[in-house]
Amino acid sequence: MKILAVDDEPIALEGLVSAISKVDPYADVHGFGNVSDALMYAFVSHPQVAFLDVNFRAESGLDLAKKLKEINPQINIIFTTGHKQYMEEAFRMHVSGYIVKPVTPEKITGELANLRTPVYDCSEKKVRVQTFGDFEVFVNDKPLQFSYLKTKEIFAYLVDCRGSMCTNGTLISLLWGDDDPSAHRSYLSNLLADLSKTLKDVGCENVLIKRRGQIGIDTTKIDCDYYRWLKGDPRARAAFAGKYMYQYSWAEVTLASML
């Protein structure tokens, strides 16, 4: 996530940038002490969130917010100020939030968890995985269609394993329980081939890691709400409502650990 921070008081700007970085250490935070540099950065880099002081010596933070919205109508504007009298005008602009100074990590956490326009930090990853609620997979924000429900379940289980390699025997037990493993090896082979083809067709086969008799996923190549939750991402923490891969009974073990 790209975050813009603007305050013409050097000490206040330093504290603002530091607080944001503490809340989201994975964010790309850029601080500026003047409007012109901030606008230039916004025009080139298109940040998704902007923390703006309301009062500048040369120009109003409200005017800066309007210009940022002209560059990117979806940008989340969060005002920071020592005064409350600007709140009414700020919210008429449909800003995302308003922090009365002093700015603290706790206040920033609350604002980032409730952004007006949701932000997904995909880091240029094409595959986005939703585990909260029902399990779903998106490629370039379009639902990925699996030929078989069990193919989708295998991918869900690999996501749950967080990069650990799974043997064919483990997958057979997962899908068919205590049945004779030899009776399902051919079917499993077809399902794994279908999984590879499904991802290959959308240019994402490199998500899979294959070894003889084993398969896993490269967790660095997907954006997953569960993985972001594990890292303490405030947006993912806010999004979790007590349900995880709801359609799979085996996912209850992970859900229990999360709760």
Side-chain angles (χ1 to χ4, degrees):
M1 180 167 58
K2 293 180 181 179
I3 299 179
L4 171 66
V6 187
D7 196 311
D8 60 359
E9 293 290 342
I11 294 178
L13 178 61
E14 181 180 353
L16 176 60
V17 171
S18 176
I20 296 170
S21 298
K22 286 180 181 178
V23 171
D24 190 348
Y26 301 97
D28 183 15
V29 186
H30 290 262
F32 296 94
N34 63 78
V35 170
S36 59
D37 288 346
L39 285 173
M40 181 63 71
Y41 169 76
F43 184 77
V44 173
S45 300
H46 298 284
Q48 298 108 332
V49 181
F51 287 84
L52 310 178
D53 184 23
V54 173
N55 291 311
F56 295 108
R57 296 185 183 91
E59 187 172 356
S60 165
L62 297 170
D63 292 334
L64 173 57
K66 293 174 184 177
K67 292 177 181 178
L68 289 174
K69 279 187 166 290
E70 289 175 1
I71 295 173
N72 175 16
Q74 300 302 314
I75 191 170
N76 292 281
I77 303 291
I78 301 171
F79 284 119
T80 65
T81 180
H83 309 282
K84 295 182 179 180
Q85 67 263 35
Y86 300 101
M87 291 183 69
E88 183 177 350
E89 184 175 357
F91 284 110
R92 280 204 303 269
M93 296 175 59
H94 304 289
V95 299
S96 180
Y98 197 100
I99 295 177
V100 177
K101 293 180 179 179
V103 178
T104 64
E106 290 74 22
K107 292 178 181 178
I108 289 174
T109 297
E111 295 300 337
L112 291 181
N114 295 280
L115 293 175
R116 186 179 184 87
T117 303
V119 175
Y120 298 99
D121 179 15
C122 296
S123 302
E124 299 181 354
K125 297 167 186 171
K126 297 173 64 177
V127 181
R128 178 169 63 86
V129 174
Q130 171 190 299
T131 65
F132 297 165
D134 283 343
F135 176 78
E136 296 294 344
V137 183
F138 303 87
V139 176
N140 293 330
D141 289 327
K142 295 181 180 179
L144 182 61
Q145 301 298 322
F146 293 88
S147 299
Y148 306 101
L149 291 177
K150 288 189 181 300
T151 302
K152 184 177 181 179
E153 184 172 2
I154 288 173
F155 192 62
Y157 186 71
L158 296 180
V159 170
D160 184 70
C161 289
R162 294 157 48 193
S164 296
M165 301 299 290
C166 297
T167 66
N168 290 346
T170 298
L171 294 177
I172 288 174
S173 296
L174 173 80
L175 298 174
W176 295 287
D178 296 329
D179 289 354
D180 179 9
S182 61
H184 301 287
R185 284 175 185 153
S186 178
Y187 190 9
L188 177 64
S189 179
N190 291 335
L191 291 174
L192 293 177
D194 178 61
L195 177 59
S196 294
K197 182 181 184 302
T198 300
L199 291 170
K200 184 177 181 180
D201 287 346
V202 292
C204 298
E205 190 180 15
N206 62 348
V207 168
L208 296 178
I209 301 174
K210 301 176 185 177
R211 297 174 188 161
R212 185 176 181 82
Q214 295 182 314
I215 191 169
I217 62 168
D218 185 343
T219 59
T220 67
K221 290 183 170 59
I222 67 171
D223 175 56
C224 175
D225 50 6
Y226 173 45
Y227 296 169
R228 287 188 278 110
W229 184 92
L230 289 170
K231 292 178 180 178
D233 186 320
R235 292 157 293 158
R237 292 276 172 171
F240 177 60
K243 292 184 178 180
Y244 172 82
M245 296 196 191
Y246 197 60
Q247 67 265 56
Y248 304 126
S249 60
W250 49 261
E252 293 176 1
V253 176
T254 299
L255 175 61
S257 68
M258 295 174 72
L259 296 175

